[in-house]
Amino acid sequence: LFDGNKGNSQVLFKHTAFSREPPHLPGGFALDEELYYNGTGTKFDNGDRLVYGWRGRVAGQAAGDLARTAVAMRFAHNQLTIGCYLRNLTRDPPPPLPGGFAPDDLVYYNGSSYSFDNGDVLIFGERGTVVGPPTLASHAEGLTVLFDGNKGNSQVLFKHTAFSREPPHLPGGFALDEELYYNGTGTKFDNGDRLVYGWRGRVAGQAAGDLARTAVAMRFAHNQLTIGCYLRNLTRDPPPPLPGGFAPDDLVYYNGSSYSFDNGDVLIFGERGTVVGPPTLASHAEGLTVLFDGNKG
């Protein structure tokens, strides 16, 4: 019979938490002590929540495996007590979130689309909810965000993650997943990805860094990664055929006099080159852009 009760209780050695001595809560906390939650926000199936900065009261020992590393907390807005790790509880209010953000603020992802191994994705324009501070010391200048439709939280860094308080708009009036054609000079990247005149791709989001206002990230079927393409090199309609009946990747041979350029490139009689696009100068309208073997430009 527990003090204050009218009826007896059945206590089982294996399933009921009881002892011969008055119990002590881990962490030096006391029953009904007021504490603050400083961990990542979580929402439970019954609608109960944990929110960074919420104030609650110690309700007792946490159940099961959490008994030594957590205490049960009661928060005013919840129906049930919740086991909270000791590391996520403080007697003083936690510091404000960086950047002037607050729990439950909405943010929007405005970078290139990205997929995670667990099936979660980041898609340009996706809305997310701020759930707390970053969980990694290396991400101190950032936030933890749960993006709509994802199972796990994402760490967003102010300097390196493209996100904003307002829904983003792509430059050039283009839309996410819109089909566009590349009409610039062909390029090959170290990982084997390429840009080829006339290739058709889809808009994957905003280009990174300094290209954010003058380019969009494009996904091409033959490439592994998205590539930032300048707006001037993208069209909704297929670009015109190359002059002279040539096509990208055609091979040509130089049969003029040898010539050296200031950057160290050379043209040598018989040198083989690859057609990479139309001329880049208006004065060379009746011609091609060619990359000759061994040259940088």
Side-chain angles (χ1 to χ4, degrees):
L1 175 65
F2 286 98
D3 293 350
N5 286 355
K6 298 187 289 288
N8 297 322
S9 298
Q10 303 295 309
V11 296
L12 300 177
F13 297 135
K14 289 185 177 180
H15 302 291
T16 308
F18 74 101
S19 61
R20 291 179 180 273
E21 302 297 328
H24 298 282
L25 291 170
F29 297 131
L31 187 66
D32 205 41
E33 184 175 359
E34 189 173 82
L35 300 175
Y36 293 86
Y37 179 72
N38 67 3
T40 301
T42 305
K43 188 172 182 179
F44 300 92
D45 292 340
N46 70 339
D48 284 355
R49 302 173 67 203
L50 283 175
V51 177
Y52 179 82
W54 263 13
R55 183 176 59 187
R57 290 187 177 276
V58 178
Q61 193 173 42
D65 294 338
L66 297 181
R68 296 184 178 182
T69 57
V71 294
M73 292 292 297
R74 179 176 289 108
F75 296 94
H77 305 283
N78 289 341
Q79 305 171 52
L80 305 176
T81 61
I82 299 175
C84 297
Y85 287 108
L86 303 178
R87 64 176 180 267
N88 291 333
L89 296 170
T90 58
R91 291 186 168 97
D92 297 316
L97 294 178
F101 287 92
D104 292 340
D105 277 356
L106 296 179
V107 296
Y108 296 85
Y109 179 69
N110 55 22
S112 299
S113 298
Y114 185 82
S115 298
F116 297 91
D117 293 338
N118 68 348
D120 284 353
V121 294
L122 288 178
I123 299 173
F124 178 83
E126 193 75 59
R127 186 181 66 176
T129 303
V130 175
V131 294
T135 57
L136 300 175
S138 58
H139 290 52
E141 290 301 315
L143 300 164
T144 300
V145 175
L146 178 62
F147 286 96
D148 293 354
N150 284 353
K151 300 183 287 288
N153 297 322
S154 297
Q155 304 293 307
V156 297
L157 299 176
F158 296 137
K159 289 185 178 180
H160 302 291
T161 309
F163 74 103
S164 60
R165 290 182 180 269
E166 302 297 329
H169 300 282
L170 289 170
F174 295 131
L176 185 67
D177 205 41
E178 184 173 0
E179 190 173 80
L180 301 175
Y181 293 85
Y182 179 72
N183 67 3
T185 301
T187 305
K188 187 173 183 180
F189 300 92
D190 292 340
N191 70 340
D193 284 354
R194 302 173 67 202
L195 283 175
V196 176
Y197 179 83
W199 263 13
R200 182 177 60 186
R202 290 187 177 276
V203 178
Q206 194 173 42
D210 295 338
L211 297 181
R213 295 185 179 182
T214 57
V216 293
M218 292 291 297
R219 177 176 291 107
F220 295 95
H222 305 284
N223 289 341
Q224 304 172 53
L225 304 177
T226 61
I227 299 175
C229 297
Y230 286 109
L231 303 178
R232 65 177 180 266
N233 291 332
L234 296 170
T235 58
R236 291 186 167 98
D237 298 315
L242 295 178
F246 287 93
D249 292 340
D250 278 355
L251 296 179
V252 296
Y253 296 86
Y254 180 68
N255 55 18
S257 300
S258 298
Y259 186 83
S260 298
F261 296 90
D262 292 339
N263 69 346
D265 285 351
V266 293
L267 288 177
I268 300 174
F269 179 83
E271 193 75 55
R272 187 181 66 176
T274 303
V275 175
V276 293
T280 56
L281 300 175
S283 59
H284 291 56
E286 291 301 317
L288 299 166
T289 298
V290 175
L291 178 63
F292 285 96
D293 294 352
N295 284 353
K296 300 185 288 288

